[in-house]
Amino acid sequence: MNLINGLHFRNLRGDIYGGITAGVVALPLALAMGVASGAGPIAGMYGAIFVGFFAALFGGTPAQVSGPTGPMTVVMAAIFTQYTAMFPDDPARGAALAFTVVMLGGLFQILFGFLKIGKFIELVPHPVVSGFMSGIGVIIILLQLPPLLGYPTQAGPLASAEVLPLALDHIVFDAVILGAISLAIVLFLPKKIGRLIPSPLVALIVGTLVYMLFLRGGNASILGQIPTGLPEPRMPTFEFTLLPMMLQSALTLAALGAIDSLLTSLVADNITRTYHKSDRELIGQGIGNTIAGFFGGLPGAGATMRPVVNVKSGGQTPLSGALHSVVLLAIALGAGSLASNIPNAVLAGILIKVGIDIIDWDYLKHLRHAPKAGVTMMLVVLVMTVFVDLIIAVATGMVMASMVFMKRHTDLQLQSIKTIREVDEDTPLSPEEAEIFRAAQGRILLVHLGGPMSFGAAKGMARLLAQFDEYDSLILELTDMPQIDFTASRALFDMVTDAKSMGREVFLVGTRKPVQDMLTKQGIIAEVPAGHRVEKRLAALQEALRLLRAKQA
């Protein structure tokens, strides 16, 4: 196993250009994510630097470029606010706990990778992912509306929505002008220019220049002094009473980062025609997040815009992702004084565009024609993501998806059950079998159980048999049943014992070994005489007809 997945030096020029371009794209986003998280713009830069560098070197997606993302920033903002609010007299203590949570989240991601959980992330249904991502987009937009109007950033989407009337009553017009310029650039910059220089960077430069040249003496707030130089390590800090809460927060970050990164890996696969290594990607992301937390950086994940820009610019190997981080590090070491003049409203405009892009507009456009179950899942997850909790929203969506899947699976299982008591043109019988049914005149009931039977089909099996009451022999054909679970086997037991209690003969046909083992454990085999357990359906029909004639004689 290679230490660095996908590393080679045959594309050096493309990787250099891709890494530099991705770094330029990441700069305004990293600063904006840092501000939105509450930890400060430099935390966003450190997150992009460390997560981007180590996830590139140790991850499983060669063209991946990682850093703070909208979903991760939304969760980190909640975590940072939660822990700093616990210690109002010592905010540094709360911040230390928040970054310890980032480290723990990274360690959980590494554990996910070693436990090979990566492949299970791909089982999350699209409506759940769509609702979740759209909810994140709505949260980002709501959080950025107050600073776009010149009002302080709020702790959560509900708080932002509540202060909007107040913000509208106290509009800072300088901030609105800067935010409008920024938003207009990222929304409407011609694609030809966007290919040369990314729209977020254009918005950052233009918005900052407008402030410095025309609005410096106004009321628009700016980032202010940003630390320069290498970050100082932050040792993990624990509060024993808060440990369960910290672990829960860390699991939230880890799960969200895993979903975010692996979805981005799928995007990278599509544009590079390659296949990522899910579990290795989780380990790489985990290493990056652990180190980012250690140096006071935001948690990150694969960020869709960055690998797309990277690949389109020529990047193919982990060198480009690592170089993107080196570019950001150089900027962080030398450009703090320049970045201090960036207006908050400009970053808010950039982030609103990020929120707009995260919303799954394609799914929303097709709501009228999408399956109702999927639409319901998507809307429930979206609303719960915005107004309740991100992980609870995804968990609820997965439960709903599981129930829908089980319903569909059960319907297919019940459709595979065939009952035969009389012969018609569509009855799949041999001539000899058909002749036996004609001779029996409806006194023999054949139930063919096809496919695996699970608990979902148990009541349906019993309900199906309850429709028939005038017969003397029940033949249960299990030839096409590869397995059966406990609940379905208990339903089969009730069918057998109920038939016997009414004086009917019961036959079992063609039980495979896994099915026979389960039926033996549940005592069903013991309820059926040895002579009534046969391999072929014809033999059961012949014996049932013989018994019927003997009874009628």
Side-chain angles (χ1 to χ4, degrees):
M1 178 168 150
N2 296 329
L3 181 62
I4 301 177
N5 181 50
L7 178 64
H8 61 77
F9 299 96
R10 299 186 298 275
N11 186 54
L12 197 57
R13 179 181 295 179
D15 287 331
I16 290 174
Y17 189 65
I20 292 173
T21 307
V24 170
V25 170
L27 172 63
L29 297 176
L31 291 170
M33 298 292 184
V35 174
S37 72
I42 197 63
M45 291 288 285
Y46 290 156
I49 291 166
F50 290 108
V51 179
F53 186 80
F54 290 100
L57 293 185
F58 300 108
T61 311
Q64 182 78 282
V65 180
S66 303
T69 65
M72 295 292 278
T73 301
V74 168
V75 175
M76 185 59 188
I79 290 172
F80 196 81
T81 301
Q82 179 182 23
Y83 288 95
T84 52
M86 292 178 181
F87 305 98
D89 298 329
D90 189 5
R93 184 180 178 188
L97 290 172
F99 287 114
T100 301
V101 167
V102 176
M103 298 181 218
L104 291 173
L107 294 175
F108 275 127
Q109 284 185 312
I110 295 171
L111 180 63
F112 290 169
F114 281 114
L115 293 177
K116 300 188 181 302
I117 290 176
K119 57 182 176 292
F120 295 106
I121 302 297
E122 298 175 8
L123 299 178
V124 180
H126 179 70
V128 175
V129 174
S130 175
F132 176 72
M133 298 306 291
S134 295
I136 290 292
V138 171
I139 289 175
I140 292 173
I141 293 170
L142 286 175
L143 288 175
Q144 297 310 310
L145 287 177
L148 191 74
L149 300 172
Y151 201 83
T153 303
Q154 300 301 299
L158 288 178
S160 291
E162 289 173 356
V163 301
L164 277 180
L166 186 61
L168 289 169
D169 287 339
H170 299 81
I171 287 179
V172 177
F173 287 100
D174 288 355
V176 173
I177 292 170
L178 294 168
I181 292 172
S182 171
L183 191 55
I185 290 173
V186 293
L187 286 174
F188 304 114
L189 186 74
K191 290 184 178 180
K192 290 183 179 180
I193 300 176
R195 293 190 189 102
L196 298 174
I197 180 170
S199 61
L201 186 61
V202 175
L204 188 72
I205 294 172
V206 172
T208 305
L209 286 176
V210 169
Y211 168 77
M212 294 179 69
L213 295 174
F214 304 107
L215 302 174
R216 183 185 284 272
N219 297 322
S221 63
I222 58 175
L223 292 183
Q225 188 62 38
I226 298 177
T228 56
L230 294 172
E232 294 183 2
R234 293 171 174 263
M235 298 306 295
T237 302
F238 294 95
E239 295 281 345
F240 182 75
T241 56
L242 299 178
L243 190 57
M245 183 187 300
M246 293 176 70
L247 291 174
Q248 182 180 354
S249 301
L251 275 171
T252 301
L253 275 179
L256 179 58
I259 294 171
D260 209 357
S261 295
L262 294 182
L263 289 176
T264 304
S265 294
L266 293 176
V267 173
D269 286 351
N270 288 334
I271 59 178
T272 59
R273 300 293 187 267
T274 58
Y275 296 96
H276 72 279
K277 298 178 180 178
S278 298
D279 298 314
R280 188 163 183 165
E281 181 66 19
L282 291 182
I283 292 172
Q285 294 290 338
I287 293 172
N289 279 311
T290 303
I291 297 175
F294 187 72
F295 286 103
L298 293 190
T304 305
M305 183 188 300
R306 295 169 199 169
V308 170
V309 169
N310 177 38
V311 173
K312 288 184 177 180
S313 302
Q316 295 179 4
T317 79
L319 287 176
S320 55
L323 180 59
H324 133 277
S325 296
V326 174
V327 170
L328 290 175
L329 178 61
I331 294 172
L333 292 177
S337 58
L338 295 176
S340 63
N341 290 308
I342 297 173
N344 287 312
V346 169
L347 296 178
I350 293 171
L351 280 176
I352 286 176
K353 175 61 163 59
V354 172
I356 292 172
D357 289 342
I358 290 176
I359 294 174
D360 190 353
W361 297 107
D362 185 62
Y363 193 93
L364 292 174
K365 289 176 185 176
H366 294 88
L367 280 184
R368 295 176 60 184
H369 306 291
K372 291 182 179 179
V375 172
T376 302
M377 271 187 278
M378 190 278 292
L379 293 175
V380 168
V381 173
L382 193 160
V383 172
M384 292 189 68
T385 298
V386 177
F387 297 108
V388 183
D389 179 85
L390 290 90
I391 295 303
I392 292 177
V394 173
T396 302
M398 288 302 295
V399 170
M400 293 176 68
S402 300
M403 296 297 289
V404 170
F405 173 78
M406 279 307 306
K407 176 65 170 62
R408 291 172 179 168
H409 189 57
T410 298
D411 290 343
L412 290 174
Q413 290 178 345
L414 293 177
Q415 289 173 15
S416 71
I417 300 175
K418 307 296 182 184
T419 57
I420 303 174
R421 194 163 66 166
E422 297 177 352
V423 180
D424 57 39
E425 295 179 357
D426 298 326
T427 307
L429 297 171
S430 68
E432 190 173 357
E433 291 171 339
E435 186 59 36
I436 291 175
F437 274 102
R438 291 190 188 97
Q441 297 180 338
R443 305 306 300 179
I444 297 176
L445 176 62
L446 171 66
V447 180
H448 176 89
L449 300 168
M453 287 294 151
S454 65
F455 65 91
K459 287 194 177 295
M461 290 164 55
R463 192 180 301 115
L464 182 68
L465 193 62
Q467 299 174 9
F468 302 93
D469 55 3
E470 297 295 331
Y471 62 93
D472 294 298
S473 293
L474 172 64
I475 300 176
L476 298 171
E477 185 179 9
L478 313 180
T479 308
D480 296 328
M481 182 190 291
Q483 61 186 28
I484 187 171
D485 71 5
F486 172 80
T487 307
S489 69
R490 295 309 299 174
L492 206 60
F493 180 85
D494 291 339
M495 292 165 64
V496 171
T497 54
D498 288 348
K500 289 184 64 178
S501 68
M502 301 182 73
R504 293 164 178 160
E505 302 292 340
V506 179
F507 296 82
L508 290 179
V509 177
T511 53
R512 301 187 186 185
K513 189 176 187 311
V515 176
Q516 184 163 342
D517 290 344
M518 177 61 81
L519 299 186
T520 300
K521 290 178 183 178
Q522 301 308 316
I524 300 172
I525 295 295
E527 292 290 331
V528 181
H532 288 195
R533 304 194 298 267
V534 296
E535 291 298 318
K536 301 296 182 181
R537 180 170 65 189
L538 180 59
L541 288 169
Q542 289 171 337
E543 179 62 15
L545 182 60
R546 187 190 68 78
L547 292 173
L548 177 62
R549 285 173 172 170
K551 181 178 179 181
Q552 294 174 343

